[in-house]
Each structure stands twice: as structure tokens, then as C-alpha cells.
Amino acid sequence: MDQVITTFRQLYYVCKASNKKIYEVALDNEVAKGEYSEYTVRLQAKKSLDAMKEAIKIGLKSTEKSPSGMSGDDCNKLQKSICSSILGDTARKIMIYALATSEQNLRMGTIVACPTAGSCGIVPSVLIAFAEDNNIPEGEQINALITAGEVGRLVSNKMALAGAVGGCQAECGVAAAMATAALTQMRGGSVKQVINAVALALKNILGLTCDPVCGLVEIPCVKRNPFLAIHAVTASELAMADIISKIPIDEVVDAMEQTGKLMSPLLKESSQGGLAKTKTAIALEKNILK
Amino acid sequence: MRQSSIIDIISPIMAGPSSSHTAGAVRLGLLARNVYNTKPDKITFKLYNSYAHTGKGHGTDKGLLAGILGFSVDDVRIKNVFDTPEAQELNYSFEFLDDFNRHPNAVDFIFEGGLNMTVSGDSIGAGEILLTKINNFSVNLDGKYNTLLVVYEDVPGVISAVTHIIQEDNVNIASLHCDRSGKGKDASMCICVDGELSKKCLNAVSDLKKMYIVRYIKKLES
């Protein structure tokens, strides 16, 4: 393969022409670029997957508060909830894992930035909770993570995955798009279904602001992780029913890039607007940063 | 232009809480440390825009300092870096500034000592970084390649002489970025290579006439 893949459209046609899965074409593409071998990519995916599982394991047990004291015990609360989940056990587990990872992050614990640290709970929670409940072998989990990685890579070729550049749509939004790709892949979705899931997830998160209270990755970041993990599940459910995004994914990414540029810097990780400037946020700021 | 890799997206494994503001800060510090390459008497960190406004909450100050001290992005000492013996031996300070002409996540490292040097960089997202300026020269360093940085007098034939020496080492050049402060004044070259340059090659470059700075900047491991 000579041509390096830069768009989802290309990815789709190469998969179709070669009758390969997204992760197979993605690995071919990494090798074609000449910087990494297939082994190196798979090894990093395995290391990252292990680190994600470790972060969940520690996060599930910990109730240590963040240095600010604002968060750190929500995972514990959800685990103890006596109210049964209307979404089912796997969905509840996804939310718990997302909180576990995200709370490890705010403790300055070890996590995997996937794609970023603020959004670190989304891909692992969806991937690992589903894999556990459906006995997905490790090799397939790695394939799912590579599928997710390819989605993130293609978006990042268009726009930087940073809240300060594109708002939260570029962080948690892209993480949800990656998570739905991993999930749809593990559910046996076709290439078309995976790509549609990505389009549906991204399309429905455009314009999400990044306005962290006190400039900390806590409010709203921690709880946003379980919310967007379930967003990824919704996208996969629709895509598996062959529901099509009328706007093709490459155009959704263009729209996302434009939206990021049009958003005020006050709403892009500067904590100068939105939630960060509410009365309560300002009061919290006085308390914490004094 | 270099395409990003799947590896960039599903890593790094890092100490939280922010890839751009914590891990990116560590990586900027590590690369700036490799550029300066000696122990400074004093270092001033100037943080701009989002780095200035939300940096403290994200541990950006801790990350930048940890990088300068050579800690990797997943080092558990980052959380309490100010209390480490390494930090207490160093004379450092922070400034927090606004400049809308700079990237939202921009930083200047101002090194003072035997050699004074200002290194500027941006954290461009997902832990990816770019050093953009060394003193008054524009550079393009992302820490992904071993890089030869040369500052020299702007006279004919230097680019050819340096690239010839690299060719004799049988090393491929991935990219070459040149700049100068003015005709016949100081000039700079940033040469990213595939593989490793030998000691012999670096000595040969240093032995060329009118070389002011010759630095071999190793790629970042994490």
C-alpha cells in the first residue's frame, strides 16, 4: 500500500477493496508510513490496555479526594447505589469504570491519555466493561483499541485534540467517537457501521465547551466521562441498526474544526467563561485557591 | 508534513490530570532540558494564556519543572516535585502572562548561567508538543526525532558541508529547517534524522568554521 490514509472515506474504501477490518488497514497504514512496525503498535496498545485496567482497579477501591477536595468519591457512591439501573448492568459498569479512571486522573494517579487525560475514562470504561461482560479475548480488545486509535488519528490530522484549541468536543467528544468505534468493532459491526457510529457520536457533541471550574480537571470533567461513555453506547446502538449519519464523517470533522475556531477563547480551557464564571464557581475558587 | 500515529492517540501512560497541561508540560521541559544541555544557574518559566490561567490547577508548573529535572511523564514524583531534593537544588521562578499572539498553551524557558538561552514552545494537544523558538531563531522540534541543531555564521556552503557530513555517517535526513537573523548574521539549522548520529559526525560538524552552537538533541522516550 503506497497511499497513506488521511480521511475516513479513504479508510472505508481501502477496507472495502481489501476486505479487511479497520484495525488491519490501520496497522498496514502505520507500517506504510515507515515509522513503526505492526509489533510496536500492538505492543503499545497492550501496554496502554494494561495501564487502563490498572487505573480502573485502583480507582474502584480509592475514595481519596482530589487536592482541591472538590471530587474523588463519586465512583464509590455509584458502586454503592441501591437503585437498579434502567440501562442494565453493563451500562452501569461502564459509568462506574469511567468515574474510577477519571477520579484516578484528578488524584494525579497514573492513567492513559486516550486521547487526552481529561477524557481518559471514556474509551477504557466502554471497552473494558463490555469486554468483561461478553468474554472478549485480549487480542480482540487490542484490535478494538487500535480501531479507536485510528479514529482519533484521523480526527487529529484535521484538528488538535486540545480543549484550549477546540473545546471539549475535541477531547471528550473525540474520546466518545473512539469508544464507539471500539465498541462497535467488538460487537461485530461492519466497517460501515463502525464509521457511522463515529459520525453519529461526533455529530451530536459539536460545540461542547471546555470551561473547568477553578481551572481544574474536575468540574465538569469527571462526571462528563460517564456521560460521554454512554453517548458512545448510544451511537453504537443506532449504528448497529444501520442508522446512517446523513452528514458523512469527514464533513462532520470539518464542521467540528470550524466550530472549534468559532468558539470564543473564553470557553476553551481558559476558565474565563461558562461554568467557570458562575457564582458558585467563583465562590469555590476563592475557597480553594486562596 | 508528518502524519500523527495511532501510538500518539492511545498514549502516553502518564500522571494526571491533563495531557496538554501536565504531560505536555513535562515533555516541553524534557526537550528544553535537552536543548540547553547543561545545568543553569537560574531558570524562569513564563507561562502564557491557558497555561497561565489554568496551569496551577493542572500541575503545569509542576510538569515543566519535572521535565527540566529529567523526570518522565509517568514519574510518581511529579505530584510533589517542589519537595524533591532535585528541585530544591535549582533556582527557579514562574511568571504568568497573557499574550493573544501566542498559542493558548505557550511557555518560555529562560535559562541563565554560563550560556543564556531562551527556549519557547507550545503544547499542541494530547501531550504533543512543539518547540518553536530558540533565542531569536524559529525552530520546529517535536521530540520525535533525534535532531542536530546548529547555530552558525550565515556564509555560503554551510548547509552543504553539514549535510555532507551526515551523509558520510550514512544517516537519512527526515526534515531540515533553516532560519537566519539577517544576511551574513547568525543562522540556524534544525536537522531531524532517522537513526543515530555518531560522535565522529558531531565532532566533524563542530570543527567546521564559525559554528556557535552545535547540539545533538535526542528524541523523547515518552
Side-chain angles (χ1 to χ4, degrees):
Chain A
M1 190 177 64
D2 296 313
Q3 202 178 11
V4 173
I5 292 171
T6 56
T7 64
F8 285 95
R9 188 185 153 84
Q10 260 179 310
L11 176 67
Y12 174 70
Y13 282 109
V14 174
C15 286
K16 210 175 144 188
S18 58
N19 198 23
K20 284 180 171 175
K21 307 274 191 198
I22 289 175
Y23 61 85
E24 292 172 307
V25 171
L27 286 169
D28 289 348
N29 187 51
E30 288 291 327
V31 175
K33 285 191 290 168
E35 283 181 48
Y36 299 111
S37 66
E38 181 172 332
Y39 174 78
T40 309
V41 179
R42 290 196 79 91
L43 185 68
Q44 180 61 52
K46 156 95 176 124
K47 279 186 191 165
S48 292
L49 190 64
D50 288 346
M52 287 169 175
K53 289 176 180 172
E54 186 64 19
I56 290 172
K57 203 169 122 194
I58 300 171
L60 285 175
K61 285 189 206 136
S62 181
T63 50
E64 184 194 327
K65 292 275 190 116
S66 61
S68 73
M70 290 195 298
S71 23
D73 56 0
D74 290 336
C75 179
N76 186 45
K77 278 185 188 164
L78 190 57
Q79 287 183 80
K80 285 185 177 159
S81 171
I82 50 165
C83 183
S84 67
S85 171
I86 63 160
L87 295 174
D89 292 343
T90 302
R92 173 65 66 85
K93 193 187 240 187
I94 287 172
M95 292 182 222
I96 290 171
Y97 283 9
L99 284 172
T101 309
S102 225
E103 289 183 350
Q104 264 312 95
N105 184 47
L106 61 85
R107 295 179 188 115
M108 290 190 92
T110 305
I111 52 88
V112 183
C114 187
T116 63
S119 61
C120 68
I122 298 167
V123 171
S125 63
V126 173
L127 199 165
I128 294 164
F130 181 84
E132 279 178 7
D133 287 3
N134 294 278
N135 298 316
I136 305 288
E138 191 190 47
E140 282 184 41
Q141 295 175 42
I142 289 170
N143 293 342
L145 185 55
I146 291 169
T147 308
E150 179 67 357
V151 168
R153 186 186 76 80
L154 289 173
V155 179
S156 79
N157 278 333
K158 274 284 171 70
M159 73 182 292
L161 306 184
V165 178
C168 194
Q169 55 169 5
E171 296 207 21
C172 288
V174 173
M178 291 168 63
T180 201
L183 177 60
T184 309
Q185 172 63 44
M186 285 189 295
R187 296 174 83 189
S190 66
V191 171
K192 197 171 180 185
Q193 285 169 328
V194 173
I195 290 178
N196 254 298
V198 173
L200 291 167
L202 262 194
K203 197 172 71 173
N204 288 290
I205 209 66
L206 296 184
L208 193 65
T209 60
C210 176
D211 49 1
V213 172
C214 308
L216 300 169
V217 191
E218 295 193 32
I219 305 170
C221 320
V222 174
K223 297 184 195 84
R224 186 160 291 171
N225 275 262
F227 271 98
L228 286 196
I230 299 304
H231 181 80
V233 175
T234 308
S236 179
E237 295 282 79
L238 299 191
M240 289 300 282
D242 286 329
I243 294 175
I244 304 292
S245 170
K246 295 286 189 295
I247 309 293
I249 176 63
D250 289 308
E251 293 176 37
V252 175
V253 175
D254 288 342
M256 183 177 169
E257 187 191 9
Q258 188 199 37
T259 306
K261 283 182 180 153
L262 291 172
M263 277 163 68
S264 161
L266 303 184
L267 297 171
K268 290 188 284 190
E269 212 173 347
S270 62
S271 293
Q272 292 176 315
L275 289 173
K277 282 296 169 206
T278 54
K279 210 164 82 182
T280 302
I282 292 165
L284 282 167
E285 198 167 354
K286 276 191 188 137
N287 252 330
I288 292 160
L289 302 177
K290 66 186 170 191
Chain B
M1 204 189 120
R2 182 186 183 274
Q3 286 260 316
S4 65
S5 157
I6 290 173
I7 290 182
D8 303 333
I9 304 294
I10 60 169
S11 68
I13 299 168
M14 55 167 277
S18 165
S19 47
S20 55
H21 286 57
T22 321
V26 177
R27 300 183 79 235
L28 281 164
L30 282 167
L31 200 54
R33 168 193 163 96
N34 290 353
V35 171
Y36 191 68
N37 201 27
T38 173
K39 198 174 176 324
D41 293 339
K42 182 172 188 304
I43 173 163
T44 308
F45 301 89
K46 286 189 176 177
L47 286 68
Y48 294 89
N49 306 331
S50 174
Y51 253 26
H53 294 289
T54 73
K56 271 226 158 107
H58 287 137
T60 305
D61 47 357
K62 292 176 181 173
L64 292 169
L65 181 60
I68 288 294
L69 297 174
F71 298 179
S72 64
V73 291
D74 61 348
D75 197 311
V76 292
R77 292 174 295 176
I78 295 170
K79 191 172 177 175
N80 299 308
V81 65
F82 296 134
D83 302 328
T84 60
E86 291 89 344
Q88 278 160 6
E89 278 177 18
L90 189 70
N91 180 4
Y92 62 89
S93 63
F94 292 94
E95 290 178 25
F96 303 93
L97 305 159
D98 273 313
D99 183 346
F100 284 106
N101 292 322
R102 297 287 298 269
H103 189 277
N105 302 329
V107 60
D108 294 334
F109 301 87
I110 299 166
F111 295 97
E112 292 169 65
L115 176 71
N116 292 339
M117 186 185 273
T118 299
V119 178
S120 305
D122 305 330
S123 178
I124 58 176
E128 301 298 306
I129 55 150
L130 203 60
L131 291 188
T132 54
K133 253 184 160 187
I134 296 171
N135 293 336
N136 288 321
F137 300 108
S138 75
V139 295
N140 202 347
L141 281 174
D142 63 8
K144 289 184 177 152
Y145 293 91
N146 292 327
T147 302
L148 180 65
L149 169 75
V150 189
V151 179
Y152 57 96
E153 187 179 302
D154 182 40
V155 291
V158 180
I159 294 173
S160 157
V162 172
T163 52
H164 182 68
I165 291 167
I166 293 173
Q167 184 202 343
E168 289 196 328
D169 227 17
N170 200 23
V171 171
N172 186 47
I173 293 176
S175 71
L176 171 61
H177 182 97
C178 304
D179 193 19
R180 66 179 184 186
S181 59
K183 192 175 176 186
K185 304 274 172 54
D186 294 350
S188 74
M189 239 187 287
C190 253
I191 307 173
C192 297
V193 297
D194 297 325
E196 287 279 354
L197 293 179
S198 67
K199 255 238 145 67
K200 188 176 147 228
C201 165
L202 297 174
N203 287 339
V205 173
S206 300
D207 287 347
L208 293 172
K209 278 181 194 159
K210 304 273 189 184
M211 292 284 143
Y212 303 134
I213 299 174
V214 177
R215 282 273 189 290
Y216 184 43
I217 303 158
K218 296 287 211 130
K219 68 178 174 186
L220 295 177
E221 293 302 328
S222 63

